[in-house]
Amino acid sequence: MMVRNYNPSSWQITKRLLGYIKPFMGTYIMMNVTAFGREGTYTLVAPLLVMLIVDYVLVPVGSVQSNWFLELIKSWTGISDRLGLLTILVILLLLFAALRSIFSIVHRTYRGILSQNILRVLRRELYQSLIRKSFNYLNKVRTGQIISRATSDMNAIDLFYSETVRESVRMSLQLVFALFILFSFNSGLALICCIPLPFIFISTRLYSSKVRPYMIQSKAKYDSLNSVLVEGITAQKLIKGFGQEEAFAARFEKENRDYVEKTMKTAKLQAAYASSGTVYSAIGIALVIIVGGVNVFNGTLTLGEFLLFGTYFTQLVGPVRMFARLIDFYQDGLTSARRVFEVMDQGEDVPEISRPNELPRLKGDIEFRNVSFSYEGSAEILKNVSLRIRAGEKVAIIGLVGSGKSALTELLPRFYDVSAGEVLVDGYNVKDVSLKSLRGQIGFVLQNIYIFSTTLMENIRFGKPDASDEEVVQVAKAAQIHDYIISLPEGYGTLVGERGLTLSGGQRQRIAIARTLLMDPRILILDDSTSNVDAETEFLIRKAINALLKGRTALVITQRASTCESVDKIVVVDNGEIIAVGNHADLLGSNEKYRLLIESQTLTMERELKTDG
């Protein structure tokens, strides 16, 4: 689940969204100008031209002989007959229609430029925030939740900019100009036209307050649906291996139905709102026809003016009704933006001080001084641990699963912060140094090795992108993976499948070792796991590890007696405490817990050998 207690107001979210327009203000202005030119100008001018055609050309009223605009046309063109004036007015209608088409092309271009540039910035900020998240935060969220925020939520935000922001400005201008023109002709009838507008506005407000919770619930269900989808893809072997295809399909269908159910509730509210808007519009049209018709009978309103009011009433109702659609986009965009900003604003990596020290090239001294640690909201994993490791020492860390071995190594690069005590490298408290200068000098070869879906060359070069091809080949040889790579048709340019699935476990581990060697770290954290590999592969991995350990301070998480025999000292961890420190021979005789750990590992290996035999 996502982290809770994140609830900024709708106005705060709106201001933040609008703030992204500022760097593209020129594009935003051009988008609005061309939007009004595309719709507003033609929509407002065409009814006036039709009124002139009706009242002054087709059925001229005796008491109204001329109009200033027609007089201007007559003086410019010299045409005064009715057919000539009709032709000119129709040509003007066509010209405005053509102008509308030109504005439309330019407008669509600016609209796309604005929304896509803003989305580019938003996606960049979202991704940058994700790669800076703390492990505490990432442990609480599911991949599907993040993916839905980066895809469907971004699409909803796109509609906020491309529809809500754009149309609200255009519709507001159109509303103001239409009211001005109507009141200039007949203020009484103009007031009649305005009667339905407050009811439409009030119903819009009621709709807005009711639809928001359903939209939030719908998007939460979409998160769950996406998470099941991602798990179904990434855990294919496990699902098929346990014959759980049908069970997973049923789980997906349940989430799918729940999502549809929540979405349909939103759709029903939207349909109800649209229907109420239609009723209010019909009432307004009826009032205009009745009152306007009476005025025509009385001679206080011409037929052309009557048609003008009928047409312009839609210019009033149209924008107000459009707000129903815009409210949808606004509420949906607001809900999506809240979810995107929730990811961006929460769970930042462990904080740096305002002016952290930049570490020089480390010698490799490490000290854990009275360290206690617990994951957020859990029991203590480490309890008052103190340990000193000198530069260049190789230290094996051994203990049962859950004893705190991994936690000890995760505090050194500040993947997590201590609850109490201090972690020091070369005398520097890790909290006082920049994360980049600290982590850039610590190498990792862990049990769960990630290989990127790119070439072998780029995978090895990951920690040092500017490394030469010769440097990559050199570390690949030291990691005992060069011969395999050059045996491939594309060599170092071979593309690796997603997560390295086209490589064996031993090959992935040796590529990880080459990657770490290229970084040349001063401190190394190694998960010494060579289980489930054949003897030849284990031999190659051992040679690669020996090359990696040379000249470095190393913390090796292990259960293997052979590793314990080769290191400078061994740290035995039990239930979050260091219960013994010494070499292999001394600990076998003096510490029962260590002896039992080694014996159990040896017994396990003997059973595996017998099984293989």
Side-chain angles (χ1 to χ4, degrees):
M1 298 295 291
M2 281 288 178
V3 182
R4 297 304 178 194
N5 302 321
Y6 184 82
N7 192 33
S9 68
S10 296
W11 176 235
Q12 288 174 316
I13 296 293
T14 303
K15 283 198 300 182
R16 187 167 176 179
L17 283 171
L18 294 176
Y20 283 94
I21 297 175
K22 189 175 181 180
F24 312 104
M25 187 56 71
T27 303
Y28 172 70
I29 292 170
M30 286 300 299
M31 181 189 75
N32 284 314
V33 169
T34 53
F36 188 70
R38 185 187 75 165
E39 294 292 344
T41 302
Y42 179 81
T43 303
L44 292 171
V45 171
L48 289 170
L49 292 174
V50 171
M51 183 201 71
L52 291 175
I53 290 172
V54 172
D55 282 349
Y56 297 95
V57 178
L58 297 181
V59 283
V61 181
S63 61
V64 181
Q65 296 298 327
S66 190
N67 172 273
W68 68 269
F69 185 68
L70 286 179
E71 292 302 319
L72 187 62
I73 291 175
K74 291 176 183 178
S75 65
W76 281 359
T77 63
I79 297 173
S80 59
D81 62 287
R82 292 167 64 186
L83 180 60
L85 292 173
L86 176 64
T87 304
I88 291 173
L89 291 173
V90 170
I91 290 173
L92 285 175
L93 275 173
L94 294 174
L95 287 175
F96 273 104
L99 186 62
R100 177 187 184 184
S101 298
I102 295 170
F103 273 121
S104 180
I105 294 170
V106 179
H107 168 73
R108 287 177 183 272
T109 302
Y110 279 107
R111 183 181 68 180
I113 291 172
L114 179 71
S115 63
Q116 289 307 312
N117 272 298
I118 291 174
L119 287 182
R120 174 180 57 81
V121 173
L122 268 170
R123 282 192 291 263
R124 181 187 67 204
E125 291 184 2
L126 176 63
Y127 188 77
Q128 287 175 345
S129 74
L130 283 173
I131 61 179
R132 295 190 181 99
K133 295 301 179 196
S134 69
F135 285 95
N136 265 331
Y137 177 84
L138 293 173
N139 289 338
K140 296 175 183 176
V141 300
R142 293 186 291 179
T143 305
Q145 293 177 319
I146 300 297
I147 290 174
S148 68
R149 280 156 170 73
T151 52
S152 67
D153 285 326
M154 285 296 180
N155 291 335
I157 294 172
D158 181 20
L159 289 175
F160 171 83
Y161 289 109
S162 63
E163 294 292 338
T164 306
V165 171
R166 171 181 65 95
E167 287 294 292
S168 59
V169 173
R170 179 182 74 83
M171 287 294 182
S172 297
L173 288 173
Q174 186 174 322
L175 191 66
V176 169
F177 278 107
L179 284 171
F180 174 78
I181 293 171
L182 289 179
F183 274 95
S184 66
F185 276 96
N186 189 312
S187 59
L189 190 54
L191 286 172
I192 295 295
C193 290
C194 293
I195 289 174
L197 302 186
F199 296 98
I200 296 175
F201 178 77
I202 291 169
S203 67
T204 300
R205 291 288 298 166
L206 291 173
Y207 163 79
S208 173
S209 63
K210 286 185 176 295
V211 79
R212 180 187 165 193
Y214 288 114
M215 285 186 168
I216 293 173
Q217 292 171 20
S218 176
K219 288 185 177 295
K221 283 297 177 184
Y222 187 77
D223 276 354
S224 299
L225 179 67
N226 227 7
S227 294
V228 176
L229 177 64
V230 171
E231 287 176 359
I233 294 170
T234 56
Q236 273 289 300
K237 285 186 178 179
L238 185 64
I239 293 168
K240 291 178 179 178
F242 281 83
Q244 292 298 306
E245 294 93 336
E246 293 299 324
F248 234 80
R251 182 182 166 195
F252 181 84
E253 180 59 18
K254 180 183 180 301
E255 296 292 347
N256 198 12
R257 287 180 181 277
D258 289 346
Y259 169 65
V260 171
E261 181 183 340
K262 296 297 182 185
T263 304
M264 286 305 297
K265 288 182 179 179
T266 304
K268 288 176 182 178
L269 275 176
Q270 292 169 337
Y273 177 80
S275 299
S276 67
T278 302
V279 171
Y280 294 134
S281 299
I283 292 171
I285 291 172
L287 289 172
V288 170
I289 292 174
I290 292 171
V291 177
V294 170
N295 286 335
V296 172
F297 294 154
N298 295 335
T300 57
L301 194 71
T302 68
L303 181 61
E305 290 170 343
F306 176 75
L307 293 174
L308 178 71
F309 268 86
T311 305
Y312 266 45
F313 177 73
T314 62
Q315 309 306 324
L316 299 178
V317 175
V320 178
R321 288 188 64 187
M322 184 64 181
F323 284 135
R325 185 178 173 213
L326 296 185
I327 288 292
D328 285 348
F329 292 143
Y330 172 68
Q331 289 294 337
D332 203 19
L334 214 62
T335 302
S336 292
R338 182 177 280 104
R339 285 154 48 84
V340 170
F341 293 151
E342 178 185 9
V343 175
M344 291 168 60
D345 295 346
Q346 293 189 329
E348 287 298 311
D349 206 346
V350 289
E352 289 186 343
I353 59 175
S354 56
R355 292 185 179 179
N357 295 311
E358 294 295 324
L359 282 175
R361 179 69 170 168
L362 291 176
K363 291 183 288 186
D365 284 317
I366 300 170
E367 184 178 359
F368 295 87
R369 187 181 294 171
N370 303 318
V371 166
S372 295
F373 169 69
S374 65
Y375 296 108
E376 208 171 89
S378 68
E380 276 195 327
I381 307 298
L382 296 174
K383 306 166 188 174
N384 198 33
V385 168
S386 292
L387 175 66
R388 177 72 186 273
I389 301 170
R390 300 184 186 282
E393 276 191 321
K394 312 296 181 287
V395 177
I397 303 174
I398 188 169
L400 294 172
V401 174
S403 60
K405 305 186 301 296
S406 296
L408 195 65
T409 59
E410 288 170 343
L411 295 177
L412 183 60
R414 281 196 78 198
F415 288 161
Y416 302 92
D417 269 338
V418 298
S419 305
E422 295 178 307
V423 180
L424 300 102
V425 289
D426 286 6
Y428 291 90
N429 188 322
V430 294
K431 287 187 175 182
D432 297 332
V433 302
S434 74
L435 292 172
K436 187 174 182 179
S437 67
L438 173 66
R439 294 173 182 172
Q441 300 193 65
I442 300 176
F444 306 89
V445 180
L446 304 178
Q447 189 171 356
N448 296 321
I449 295 164
Y450 196 94
I451 302 296
F452 295 95
S453 303
T454 181
T455 65
L456 290 168
M457 176 71 78
E458 290 172 343
N459 265 287
I460 295 173
R461 199 181 263 150
F462 178 71
K464 188 180 178 183
D466 58 346
S468 66
D469 292 353
E470 291 73 19
E471 288 178 289
V472 172
V473 170
Q474 185 179 354
V475 296
K477 288 179 177 178
Q480 309 299 311
I481 194 65
H482 172 73
D483 291 341
Y484 166 74
I485 293 174
I486 62 173
S487 72
L488 300 171
E490 300 296 327
Y492 283 86
T494 301
L495 287 168
V496 183
E498 189 171 357
R499 301 188 309 280
L501 294 181
T502 56
L503 301 171
S504 70
Q507 289 162 351
R508 288 199 299 271
Q509 192 162 16
R510 281 177 281 158
I511 287 172
I513 291 170
R515 180 192 291 166
T516 306
L517 275 169
L518 190 62
M519 282 181 60
D520 191 23
R522 298 307 305 143
I523 298 171
L524 178 69
I525 296 171
L526 173 67
D527 193 335
D528 181 32
S529 174
T530 54
S531 59
N532 300 321
V533 297
D534 56 53
E536 182 181 355
T537 301
E538 182 176 351
F539 173 74
L540 292 173
I541 292 173
R542 286 286 159 207
K543 285 186 68 175
I545 288 175
N546 290 336
L548 183 62
L549 294 175
K550 189 175 181 181
R552 296 180 173 86
T553 305
L555 282 70
V556 185
I557 301 171
T558 189
Q559 297 281 23
R560 304 177 66 86
S562 58
T563 300
C564 292
E565 289 171 357
S566 66
V567 298
D568 299 309
K569 67 183 177 186
I570 301 156
V571 176
V572 185
V573 183
D574 184 49
N575 196 28
E577 297 178 329
I578 294 177
I579 60 172
V581 178
N583 60 44
H584 178 67
D586 291 341
L587 290 176
L588 276 179
S590 63
N591 189 272
E592 184 178 1
K593 178 71 72 173
Y594 176 74
R595 180 174 56 79
L596 290 172
L597 285 167
I598 294 298
E599 287 176 354
S600 65
Q601 182 64 24
T602 303
L603 182 60
T604 300
M605 291 179 65
E606 288 175 353
R607 286 175 178 170
E608 289 175 353
L609 288 171
K610 288 178 181 179
T611 302
D612 292 341

mmCIF file of all heavy atoms in Angstrom, residues 479-500:
data_model
loop_
_atom_site.group_PDB
_atom_site.id
_atom_site.type_symbol
_atom_site.label_atom_id
_atom_site.label_comp_id
_atom_site.label_asym_id
_atom_site.label_seq_id
_atom_site.Cartn_x
_atom_site.Cartn_y
_atom_site.Cartn_z
ATOM 1 N N ALA A 479 37.248 -11.305 -13.680
ATOM 2 C CA ALA A 479 36.022 -11.895 -13.139
ATOM 3 C C ALA A 479 35.692 -13.247 -13.779
ATOM 4 O O ALA A 479 34.625 -13.815 -13.511
ATOM 5 C CB ALA A 479 34.854 -10.939 -13.341
ATOM 6 N N GLN A 480 36.587 -13.752 -14.628
ATOM 7 C CA GLN A 480 36.427 -15.071 -15.247
ATOM 8 C C GLN A 480 35.177 -15.172 -16.135
ATOM 9 O O GLN A 480 34.569 -16.235 -16.250
ATOM 10 C CB GLN A 480 36.366 -16.161 -14.150
ATOM 11 C CG GLN A 480 37.473 -16.114 -13.139
ATOM 12 C CD GLN A 480 38.858 -16.306 -13.761
ATOM 13 O OE1 GLN A 480 39.070 -17.233 -14.533
ATOM 14 N NE2 GLN A 480 39.805 -15.429 -13.427
ATOM 15 N N ILE A 481 34.810 -14.055 -16.789
ATOM 16 C CA ILE A 481 33.635 -14.075 -17.657
ATOM 17 C C ILE A 481 33.985 -13.700 -19.095
ATOM 18 O O ILE A 481 33.176 -13.842 -20.007
ATOM 19 C CB ILE A 481 32.538 -13.115 -17.108
ATOM 20 C CG1 ILE A 481 31.174 -13.356 -17.770
ATOM 21 C CG2 ILE A 481 32.965 -11.647 -17.266
ATOM 22 C CD1 ILE A 481 30.562 -14.678 -17.497
ATOM 23 N N HIS A 482 35.216 -13.281 -19.333
ATOM 24 C CA HIS A 482 35.639 -12.824 -20.663
ATOM 25 C C HIS A 482 35.515 -13.934 -21.707
ATOM 26 O O HIS A 482 34.993 -13.701 -22.813
ATOM 27 C CB HIS A 482 37.081 -12.309 -20.608
ATOM 28 C CG HIS A 482 37.659 -11.995 -21.951
ATOM 29 N ND1 HIS A 482 37.286 -10.890 -22.686
ATOM 30 C CD2 HIS A 482 38.579 -12.668 -22.709
ATOM 31 C CE1 HIS A 482 37.946 -10.881 -23.827
ATOM 32 N NE2 HIS A 482 38.742 -11.938 -23.868
ATOM 33 N N ASP A 483 35.981 -15.134 -21.373
ATOM 34 C CA ASP A 483 35.960 -16.226 -22.355
ATOM 35 C C ASP A 483 34.539 -16.557 -22.788
ATOM 36 O O ASP A 483 34.284 -16.837 -23.970
ATOM 37 C CB ASP A 483 36.629 -17.484 -21.771
ATOM 38 C CG ASP A 483 38.139 -17.299 -21.593
ATOM 39 O OD1 ASP A 483 38.695 -16.382 -22.236
ATOM 40 O OD2 ASP A 483 38.742 -18.058 -20.828
ATOM 41 N N TYR A 484 33.609 -16.512 -21.849
ATOM 42 C CA TYR A 484 32.216 -16.785 -22.220
ATOM 43 C C TYR A 484 31.684 -15.685 -23.131
ATOM 44 O O TYR A 484 31.009 -15.966 -24.131
ATOM 45 C CB TYR A 484 31.344 -16.879 -20.966
ATOM 46 C CG TYR A 484 29.872 -16.826 -21.270
ATOM 47 C CD1 TYR A 484 29.219 -17.908 -21.839
ATOM 48 C CD2 TYR A 484 29.129 -15.660 -21.022
ATOM 49 C CE1 TYR A 484 27.862 -17.849 -22.159
ATOM 50 C CE2 TYR A 484 27.777 -15.592 -21.342
ATOM 51 C CZ TYR A 484 27.146 -16.691 -21.900
ATOM 52 O OH TYR A 484 25.824 -16.621 -22.216
ATOM 53 N N ILE A 485 31.998 -14.433 -22.802
ATOM 54 C CA ILE A 485 31.459 -13.316 -23.584
ATOM 55 C C ILE A 485 31.949 -13.365 -25.029
ATOM 56 O O ILE A 485 31.167 -13.206 -25.974
ATOM 57 C CB ILE A 485 31.825 -11.964 -22.927
ATOM 58 C CG1 ILE A 485 31.098 -11.812 -21.586
ATOM 59 C CG2 ILE A 485 31.452 -10.802 -23.846
ATOM 60 C CD1 ILE A 485 31.493 -10.580 -20.802
ATOM 61 N N ILE A 486 33.239 -13.601 -25.231
ATOM 62 C CA ILE A 486 33.766 -13.598 -26.606
ATOM 63 C C ILE A 486 33.317 -14.823 -27.396
ATOM 64 O O ILE A 486 33.454 -14.857 -28.630
ATOM 65 C CB ILE A 486 35.301 -13.478 -26.624
ATOM 66 C CG1 ILE A 486 35.952 -14.673 -25.910
ATOM 67 C CG2 ILE A 486 35.752 -12.152 -26.019
ATOM 68 C CD1 ILE A 486 37.464 -14.691 -26.056
ATOM 69 N N SER A 487 32.769 -15.829 -26.698
ATOM 70 C CA SER A 487 32.238 -17.002 -27.414
ATOM 71 C C SER A 487 30.872 -16.709 -28.033
ATOM 72 O O SER A 487 30.399 -17.462 -28.885
ATOM 73 C CB SER A 487 32.118 -18.195 -26.463
ATOM 74 O OG SER A 487 31.053 -18.011 -25.537
ATOM 75 N N LEU A 488 30.234 -15.607 -27.624
ATOM 76 C CA LEU A 488 28.929 -15.234 -28.155
ATOM 77 C C LEU A 488 29.081 -14.554 -29.511
ATOM 78 O O LEU A 488 30.084 -13.868 -29.763
ATOM 79 C CB LEU A 488 28.212 -14.294 -27.179
ATOM 80 C CG LEU A 488 27.941 -14.858 -25.780
ATOM 81 C CD1 LEU A 488 27.438 -13.748 -24.858
ATOM 82 C CD2 LEU A 488 26.927 -15.990 -25.852
ATOM 83 N N PRO A 489 28.138 -14.710 -30.417
ATOM 84 C CA PRO A 489 28.249 -14.109 -31.757
ATOM 85 C C PRO A 489 28.486 -12.605 -31.732
ATOM 86 O O PRO A 489 29.251 -12.077 -32.541
ATOM 87 C CB PRO A 489 26.886 -14.449 -32.405
ATOM 88 C CG PRO A 489 26.417 -15.671 -31.690
ATOM 89 C CD PRO A 489 26.922 -15.530 -30.284
ATOM 90 N N GLU A 490 27.818 -11.911 -30.809
ATOM 91 C CA GLU A 490 27.955 -10.459 -30.732
ATOM 92 C C GLU A 490 28.954 -10.020 -29.667
ATOM 93 O O GLU A 490 29.136 -8.816 -29.448
ATOM 94 C CB GLU A 490 26.599 -9.807 -30.439
ATOM 95 C CG GLU A 490 25.533 -10.086 -31.490
ATOM 96 C CD GLU A 490 25.886 -9.489 -32.844
ATOM 97 O OE1 GLU A 490 26.522 -8.413 -32.864
ATOM 98 O OE2 GLU A 490 25.547 -10.108 -33.868
ATOM 99 N N GLY A 491 29.570 -10.954 -28.975
ATOM 100 C CA GLY A 491 30.563 -10.619 -27.968
ATOM 101 C C GLY A 491 30.030 -9.697 -26.888
ATOM 102 O O GLY A 491 28.943 -9.920 -26.349
ATOM 103 N N TYR A 492 30.799 -8.644 -26.610
ATOM 104 C CA TYR A 492 30.381 -7.687 -25.572
ATOM 105 C C TYR A 492 29.151 -6.876 -25.995
ATOM 106 O O TYR A 492 28.525 -6.236 -25.159
ATOM 107 C CB TYR A 492 31.538 -6.742 -25.240
ATOM 108 C CG TYR A 492 32.594 -7.365 -24.355
ATOM 109 C CD1 TYR A 492 33.634 -8.103 -24.900
ATOM 110 C CD2 TYR A 492 32.535 -7.237 -22.976
ATOM 111 C CE1 TYR A 492 34.605 -8.691 -24.096
ATOM 112 C CE2 TYR A 492 33.487 -7.813 -22.154
ATOM 113 C CZ TYR A 492 34.517 -8.545 -22.720
ATOM 114 O OH TYR A 492 35.463 -9.138 -21.913
ATOM 115 N N GLY A 493 28.830 -6.924 -27.261
ATOM 116 C CA GLY A 493 27.639 -6.216 -27.743
ATOM 117 C C GLY A 493 26.374 -7.053 -27.671
ATOM 118 O O GLY A 493 25.316 -6.616 -28.133
ATOM 119 N N THR A 494 26.456 -8.225 -27.064
ATOM 120 C CA THR A 494 25.287 -9.104 -26.948
ATOM 121 C C THR A 494 24.249 -8.488 -26.024
ATOM 122 O O THR A 494 24.555 -8.057 -24.912
ATOM 123 C CB THR A 494 25.700 -10.480 -26.389
ATOM 124 O OG1 THR A 494 26.667 -11.066 -27.267
ATOM 125 C CG2 THR A 494 24.488 -11.399 -26.265
ATOM 126 N N LEU A 495 23.004 -8.451 -26.505
ATOM 127 C CA LEU A 495 21.912 -7.937 -25.683
ATOM 128 C C LEU A 495 21.456 -9.005 -24.709
ATOM 129 O O LEU A 495 21.285 -10.170 -25.074
ATOM 130 C CB LEU A 495 20.733 -7.517 -26.562
ATOM 131 C CG LEU A 495 20.925 -6.233 -27.379
ATOM 132 C CD1 LEU A 495 19.810 -6.096 -28.408
ATOM 133 C CD2 LEU A 495 20.937 -5.020 -26.460
ATOM 134 N N VAL A 496 21.267 -8.592 -23.458
ATOM 135 C CA VAL A 496 20.845 -9.511 -22.403
ATOM 136 C C VAL A 496 19.333 -9.406 -22.256
ATOM 137 O O VAL A 496 18.767 -8.316 -22.322
ATOM 138 C CB VAL A 496 21.537 -9.159 -21.076
ATOM 139 C CG1 VAL A 496 21.159 -10.162 -19.994
ATOM 140 C CG2 VAL A 496 23.052 -9.145 -21.262
ATOM 141 N N GLY A 497 18.664 -10.529 -22.019
ATOM 142 C CA GLY A 497 17.218 -10.515 -21.815
ATOM 143 C C GLY A 497 16.852 -9.784 -20.546
ATOM 144 O O GLY A 497 17.706 -9.480 -19.699
ATOM 145 N N GLU A 498 15.573 -9.483 -20.389
ATOM 146 C CA GLU A 498 15.110 -8.719 -19.231
ATOM 147 C C GLU A 498 15.520 -9.389 -17.935
ATOM 148 O O GLU A 498 15.333 -10.582 -17.742
ATOM 149 C CB GLU A 498 13.588 -8.574 -19.282
ATOM 150 C CG GLU A 498 13.059 -7.622 -18.233
ATOM 151 C CD GLU A 498 11.582 -7.321 -18.424
ATOM 152 O OE1 GLU A 498 10.996 -7.803 -19.399
ATOM 153 O OE2 GLU A 498 11.025 -6.603 -17.582
ATOM 154 N N ARG A 499 16.125 -8.582 -17.014
ATOM 155 C CA ARG A 499 16.626 -9.024 -15.710
ATOM 156 C C ARG A 499 17.698 -10.107 -15.837
ATOM 157 O O ARG A 499 17.943 -10.867 -14.919
ATOM 158 C CB ARG A 499 15.486 -9.517 -14.806
ATOM 159 C CG ARG A 499 14.423 -8.479 -14.549
ATOM 160 C CD ARG A 499 13.407 -8.930 -13.510
ATOM 161 N NE ARG A 499 12.856 -10.240 -13.777
ATOM 162 C CZ ARG A 499 11.883 -10.474 -14.644
ATOM 163 N NH1 ARG A 499 11.367 -9.474 -15.337
ATOM 164 N NH2 ARG A 499 11.422 -11.696 -14.821
ATOM 165 N N GLY A 500 18.324 -10.212 -17.035
ATOM 166 C CA GLY A 500 19.410 -11.170 -17.207
ATOM 167 C C GLY A 500 18.956 -12.607 -17.283
ATOM 168 O O GLY A 500 19.730 -13.522 -16.994
#
